[in-house]
Amino acid sequence: SITQNLLVQLPPAVSIAPVDSICKGASVTLSASGASNYMWSNGTQGPSITISPTASGTYSVTGFQNTCFDSAEVNVQVYQAFPTPLVTRVGDTLFSDAQQGNQWFYNSALIPGSTQPNYVVTQSGYYQVQVRNSQGCRSEYSLPTNVSVGIKPLSDKNNPEFWVYPNPCKDKIGRAHV
């Protein structure tokens, strides 16, 4: 009779850290755990890979521990990025061409609560807007719009009218004598 000792090893329990979604054009790192060596479905070896998918899809990894292995997969949902919004100006009001998801900025700083398609200017400076959605996808910032608050003559020099903004104003407004 022959006696032989067998070493029974448990297979690894491979998992991938969950990734809910990514915006088109962005990158995300997928990380696996539970084994000592890994082989991803795209041929990359190692515990993690960085991907920049252009479409939703499933990524899988096989983890090896000694002579045993296990696999795991994760579905990555890709959301469309937004086009850069265009800003137009009428008097003291700026308008974004995006109807929702707007966030306005003043001199590159976020203006809290300013998320409407339009923004009434209250001070001189540079204004921009960025479009965002609930998945965290963002557009590029709009081109900066430089606004000077105060009395502005109309472009027609023969017309004695003036635009006054912001409107309403706090202090007196008088007419300058020329």
Side-chain angles (χ1 to χ4, degrees):
S1 80
I2 298 175
T3 303
Q4 187 170 6
N5 290 329
L6 295 175
L7 176 61
V8 177
Q9 298 176 342
L10 294 175
V14 174
S15 63
I16 302 173
V19 175
D20 293 333
S21 64
I22 185 173
C23 299
K24 191 172 185 175
S27 297
V28 66
T29 299
L30 302 178
S31 298
S33 62
S36 58
N37 297 304
Y38 302 91
M39 176 68 77
W40 291 87
S41 53
N42 67 355
T44 302
Q45 295 182 14
S48 63
I49 60 170
T50 300
I51 58 171
S52 299
T54 57
S56 300
T58 302
Y59 295 84
S60 61
V61 65
T62 302
F64 301 91
Q65 187 78 38
N66 300 317
T67 58
C68 299
F69 64 92
D70 186 29
S71 295
E73 63 182 32
V74 65
N75 185 37
V76 177
Q77 183 71 35
V78 177
Y79 292 99
Q80 181 65 39
F82 293 102
T84 303
L86 296 174
V87 175
T88 55
R89 177 179 169 195
V90 177
D92 65 347
T93 305
L94 301 175
F95 295 90
S96 168
D97 66 345
Q99 293 304 306
Q100 55 187 336
N102 292 283
Q103 176 59 63
W104 290 93
F105 293 81
Y106 169 69
N107 291 339
S108 300
L110 183 138
I111 304 171
S114 298
T115 58
Q116 297 300 315
N118 60 313
Y119 181 76
V120 177
V121 173
T122 58
Q123 54 189 336
S124 298
Y126 290 92
Y127 290 85
Q128 292 176 283
V129 68
Q130 183 182 56
V131 179
R132 303 171 179 193
N133 70 7
S134 60
Q135 288 82 27
C137 297
R138 301 175 182 192
S139 69
E140 295 293 325
Y141 292 97
S142 66
L143 292 174
T145 301
N146 186 10
V147 178
S148 295
V149 174
I151 299 174
K152 300 288 184 191
L154 292 174
S155 60
D156 182 0
K157 292 182 182 180
N158 297 323
N159 188 338
E161 295 181 32
F162 290 88
W163 286 4
V164 179
Y165 51 90
N167 187 7
C169 69
K170 290 185 195 175
D171 299 324
K172 294 179 184 177
I173 297 175
R175 181 172 178 202
H177 296 283
V178 181

